[in-house]
């Protein structure tokens, strides 16, 4: 494993510009025009949300629940894989099962392949059969091949924890930023920006959007907070926030720290905007739409057999 992100395969082979990523996806569409016309799909961010929920359910149902970093690695594997392979030519339920199985191996929390197949079959009996162990094994090699055996994933979580003390972040701040990082895997950001940029964007959003609790209820999740604090979204993209509250002082401290660092501030703001756009989009997310779209092409092509 490359301890230095800049020397890693993630940076050298799996970080793209938006234009390059769009061209890759357009190429897939052009190569499979018939499938695209026959089986239209929702926005990729809707599908990413759907896949994330499936991964979370599978991870929770395992004999030993799977930790967040392995789930995050699986999400990155899915995004990498589907940047190379047309989704309509696969059974996403098998790919999801395989991605998590493989991610657990890499994150050193491995489970037996039978556990994954048994739990996925219990969750999605219409798409996973008792004979899927062989298919998951085949799919594992398929994923590894498409990712050119470049399996190590650097995540923003480490940067977040490293910056907790320098930026005077409370545990609530870290928890909120952690949730934002979890949510960014629903976007293309893992393929577009370095982990430290994403971590700083998550911190900025956490400090800007988290308000002191005025009741005894549980703190809102990052997503719910984004929804309820719509009036603050304009400020979230403005790096000149000032004020007298504790959170505003922390935000200003972050801005000052950024101005003295070598971090690409434009990239940080672009990440913030992407995540905010995600939350806007997810207000209209419907799981049934994604499930039906996937069901149509898997069953029509016999991919669920």
């Amino acid at each position: 494993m490359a301890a230095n992100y800049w020397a890693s395969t993630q940076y050298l082979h799996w970080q793209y510009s938006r234009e390059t990523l769009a061209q890759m996806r357009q190429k897939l569409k052009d190569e499979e025009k018939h499938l695209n016309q026959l089986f239209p799909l929702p926005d990729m961010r809707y599908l990413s949300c759907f896949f994330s929920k499936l991964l979370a359910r599978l991870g929770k149902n395992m004999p030993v629940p799977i930790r967040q970093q392995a789930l995050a690695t699986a999400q990155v594997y899915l995004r990498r894989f589907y940047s190379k392979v047309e989704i309509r030519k696969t059974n996403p339920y098998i790919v999801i099962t395989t991605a998590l199985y493989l991610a657990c191996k890499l994150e050193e929390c491995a489970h037996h392949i039978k556990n994954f197949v048994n739990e996925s079959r219990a969750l999605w009996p219409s798409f996973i059969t008792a004979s899927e162990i062989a298919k998951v094994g085949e799919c594992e090699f398929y994923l590894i091949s498409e990712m050119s055996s470049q399996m190590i994933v650097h995540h923003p979580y480490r940067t977040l924890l490293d910056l907790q003390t320098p930026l005077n972040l409370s545990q609530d701040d870290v928890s909120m930023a952690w949730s934002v990082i979890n949510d960014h895997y629903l976007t293309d950001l893992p393929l577009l920006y370095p982990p430290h940029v994403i971590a700083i964007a998550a911190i900025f959003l956490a400090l800007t959007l988290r308000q002191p609790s005025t009741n005894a209820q549980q703190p809102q999740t990052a997503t719910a907070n984004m929804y309820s604090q719509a009036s603050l979204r304009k400020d979230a993209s403005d790096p000149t926030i000032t004020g007298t509250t504790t959170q505003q002082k922390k935000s200003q401290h972050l801005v000052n720290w950024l101005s003295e660092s070598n971090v690409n501030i434009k990239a940080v703001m672009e990440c913030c905007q992407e995540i905010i756009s995600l939350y806007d989009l997810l207000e209209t997310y419907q799981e049934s739409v994604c499930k039906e779209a996937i069901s149509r092409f898997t069953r029509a092509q016999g991919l669920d057999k």
Side-chain angles (χ1 to χ4, degrees), residues 9-10 17 54 63 126 153 194 243 286:
T9 57
Q10 182 172 340
S17 66
L54 296 184
S126 299
V153 178
Q286 292 181 311

Side-chain angles (χ1 to χ4, degrees), residues 21-37:
L21 190 57
Q23 289 171 3
M24 291 167 60
R25 288 175 174 159
Q26 187 59 49
K27 182 180 178 182
L28 287 178
K29 289 182 179 180
D30 292 342
E31 291 174 349
E32 302 293 344
K33 287 184 179 180
H34 178 66
L35 286 177
N36 275 268
Q37 294 172 355

